[in-house]
């Protein structure tokens, strides 16, 4: 008798030797770690929510406590309750821990691709926890001749008068969990920029030149920071403001 079985789903765990380098998890303590589920961020540029709470923020002691905290609806990501320890959190995401009254934004810092930075409690926290800077990674025309903008965290925004002139690599300040457009920043000379990957991850500076790509080279951005100039691929640079950053980073 031939048994017919459906295709097995992917594993929900990851060997620790295969973890991204920026995960602050001991590699030799245990064999496996949590694997992020497919979602708004790629696996090499995100934390699973369980790892963030247990190993990075250290607000829980073990995964059983983590699951209980999430099940009770105490954790919000970009203003939405999240219940899954595997949910991926990445660049510019806002994580709110309601019982502790703490809010964190994930940004590059100190050479790490992602590091949670606490937003100071008070008026600033109440304002900034609902705001997020997103980078435009795709722009195309959809049915009906409408323009759709795809952002770095998988969001899509259809025609909006505030986005006239905005193109790929520019940034949009939106309100979460909705997607109301608050402000925009073009990736152009004079804008403030943040490097999101590589040895200079977390470095901020002012754009002094934007170089168009060629057949062999990608589009590059020259960023001036601390009296030195860095020529970085535009893919790993995000515009964060004009005279000053739109948010605390």
């Amino acid at each position: 008798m031939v048994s017919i079985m459906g295709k097995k789903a992917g594993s929900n765990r990851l060997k620790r030797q295969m973890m991204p380098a920026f995960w602050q998890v001991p590699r030799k303590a245990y064999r496996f770690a949590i694997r992020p589920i497919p979602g708004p961020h790629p696996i090499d540029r995100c934390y699973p929510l369980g790892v963030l709470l247990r190993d990075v923020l250290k607000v829980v002691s073990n995964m059983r406590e983590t699951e209980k905290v999430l099940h009770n609806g105490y954790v919000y990501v970009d203003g939405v309750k999240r219940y899954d320890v595997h949910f991926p959190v990445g660049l510019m995401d806002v994580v709110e821990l309601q019982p502790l009254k703490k809010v964190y934004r994930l940004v590059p810092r100190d050479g790490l691709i992602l590091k949670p930075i606490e937003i100071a409690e008070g008026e600033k926290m109440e304002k900034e926890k609902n705001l997020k800077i997103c980078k435009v990674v795709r722009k195309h025309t959809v049915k009906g001749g409408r323009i759709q903008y795809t952002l770095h965290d998988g969001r899509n925004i259809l025609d909006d008068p505030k986005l006239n002139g905005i193109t790929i690599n520019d940034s949009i300040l939106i309100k979460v969990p909705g997607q109301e457009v608050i402000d925009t920043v073009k990736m152009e000379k004079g804008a403030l920029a943040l490097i999101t990957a590589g040895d200079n991850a977390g470095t901020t500076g002012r754009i002094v030149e934007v170089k168009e790509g060629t057949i062999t080279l990608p589009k590059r951005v020259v960023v001036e920071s601390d009296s030195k100039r860095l020529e970085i691929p535009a893919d790993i640079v995000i515009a964060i403001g004009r005279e000053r950053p739109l948010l605390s980073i």
Side-chain angles (χ1 to χ4, degrees):
M1 180 177 178
V2 178
S3 64
I4 300 176
M5 298 180 62
K7 184 179 179 181
K8 184 180 178 182
S11 174
N12 61 0
R13 60 184 185 176
L14 179 71
K15 285 189 175 180
R16 294 201 173 200
Q17 289 88 344
M18 304 301 293
M19 294 186 306
F22 67 89
W23 286 18
Q24 299 171 38
V25 179
R27 290 182 179 270
K28 295 185 178 181
Y30 299 96
R31 186 177 182 184
F32 294 103
I34 295 174
R35 175 189 289 272
I37 58 174
H41 302 282
I43 188 173
D44 60 341
R45 293 196 179 187
C46 74
Y47 279 115
L49 191 52
V51 169
L52 179 69
L53 296 176
R54 183 191 63 184
D55 300 294
V56 182
L57 297 177
K58 301 185 186 302
V59 294
V60 291
S61 301
N62 51 58
M63 199 52 61
R64 185 184 294 272
E65 289 183 9
T66 306
E67 291 173 345
K68 184 176 181 180
V69 167
L70 292 174
H71 177 75
N72 289 334
Y74 293 152
V75 180
Y76 289 71
V77 178
D78 289 345
V80 178
K81 285 183 184 179
R82 297 299 179 185
Y83 300 94
D84 192 347
V85 295
H86 300 274
F87 183 81
V89 287
L91 180 64
M92 294 295 174
D93 282 355
V94 179
V95 179
E96 181 181 2
L97 310 178
Q98 278 207 339
L100 301 179
K101 296 183 179 179
K102 290 183 179 292
V103 177
Y104 299 88
R105 188 182 306 280
L106 273 73
V107 298
R109 182 67 65 88
D110 303 328
L112 297 176
I113 291 177
L114 289 176
K115 188 173 182 179
I117 304 301
E118 185 174 357
I119 301 175
E121 188 175 355
E123 185 176 340
K124 177 182 285 189
M125 184 182 78
E126 291 302 317
K127 176 184 177 182
E128 292 200 359
K129 74 177 184 179
N130 295 319
L131 297 175
K132 181 178 182 180
I133 298 174
C134 292
K135 180 177 179 178
V136 178
V137 296
R138 189 180 179 197
K139 176 183 177 182
H140 62 286
T141 304
V142 296
K143 187 175 181 180
R146 304 180 70 186
I147 302 297
Q148 177 174 288
Y149 301 83
T150 301
L151 309 183
H152 79 271
D153 61 354
R155 297 173 187 269
N156 291 300
I157 299 179
L158 287 174
D159 289 336
D160 190 308
K162 296 179 182 178
L163 298 182
N164 289 338
I166 295 300
T167 187
I168 294 173
N169 290 322
D170 295 339
S171 297
I172 304 173
L173 178 67
I174 63 172
K175 191 172 183 178
V176 292
Q179 297 183 167
E180 178 187 353
V181 177
I182 305 299
D183 203 350
T184 60
V185 182
K186 293 190 67 63
M187 185 175 284
E188 61 185 7
K189 182 178 179 179
L192 289 174
L194 172 68
I195 300 173
T196 61
D199 293 340
N200 296 294
T203 300
T204 58
R206 196 166 295 279
I207 297 175
V208 295
E209 186 180 359
V210 177
K211 297 183 177 182
E212 294 300 325
T214 65
I215 295 177
T216 57
L217 291 174
K219 185 174 183 178
R220 288 101 63 214
V221 178
V222 180
V223 178
E224 187 173 61
S225 176
D226 297 330
S227 301
K228 63 179 180 180
R229 293 193 174 190
L230 305 169
E231 186 171 317
I232 307 292
D235 288 348
I236 59 171
V237 177
I238 182 171
I240 57 173
R242 290 177 284 273
E243 295 303 319
R244 61 179 60 186
L246 297 176
L247 298 173
S248 301
I249 294 177

